[in-house]
Amino acid sequence: MPRGAPEQLELELNRRKPRAPAKRTSTSADAERLLEFPDALLTRSHLRALGLERRAIDAVFRALPVVALPGYSRPLIRARDYVELVAAHTYCGDRVRPIASTAGTVRVC
């Protein structure tokens, strides 16, 4: 069986068209984009992509109304509810936790 010259084999190998890399969007970018739509539904995976750890995700799902679709086993929450929860529990100043004022209310930024 005749063999071709190494140069010829190399040229044939280089003739192959390279595959275009698949466009991938990051999961965190997808989750951040969903937050722009108030009626979007978020899963635990979305919250994980936003940087929450498992215990924080559990706390979010305990604090908010959960959407449970028939025939679908993953619980969901509305983006609007999540954004409101984070806004309501974001504190400013030099403290990590809220400070009760003299009037008995909590100061929030």
Side-chain angles (χ1 to χ4, degrees):
M1 178 174 196
R3 299 182 78 174
E7 298 84 19
Q8 183 181 2
L9 293 174
E10 188 175 318
L11 289 174
E12 288 176 9
L13 289 175
N14 290 334
R15 237 185 274 165
R16 293 182 188 169
K17 292 183 180 179
R19 284 187 183 173
K23 291 186 179 179
R24 288 187 170 179
T25 58
S26 70
T27 308
S28 62
D30 291 341
E32 288 174 11
R33 201 171 300 124
L34 283 174
L35 292 178
E36 297 172 7
F37 303 100
D39 290 327
L41 297 173
L42 303 175
T43 63
R44 298 175 73 83
S45 299
H46 291 127
L47 297 182
R48 180 68 184 135
L50 290 171
L52 275 67
E53 64 176 14
R54 185 186 57 81
R55 291 183 305 159
I57 295 168
D58 291 344
V60 168
F61 272 82
R62 282 192 304 271
L64 297 177
V66 174
V67 177
L69 300 174
Y72 189 65
S73 61
R74 296 179 80 177
L76 306 161
I77 57 170
R78 294 207 182 275
R80 170 189 333 111
D81 296 336
Y82 172 72
V83 170
E84 289 173 2
L85 178 74
V86 171
H89 295 280
T90 300
Y91 308 103
C92 63
D94 60 346
R95 303 272 180 148
V96 176
R97 303 273 179 170
I99 305 167
S101 68
T102 56
T105 60
V106 174
R107 291 185 288 165
V108 180
C109 295

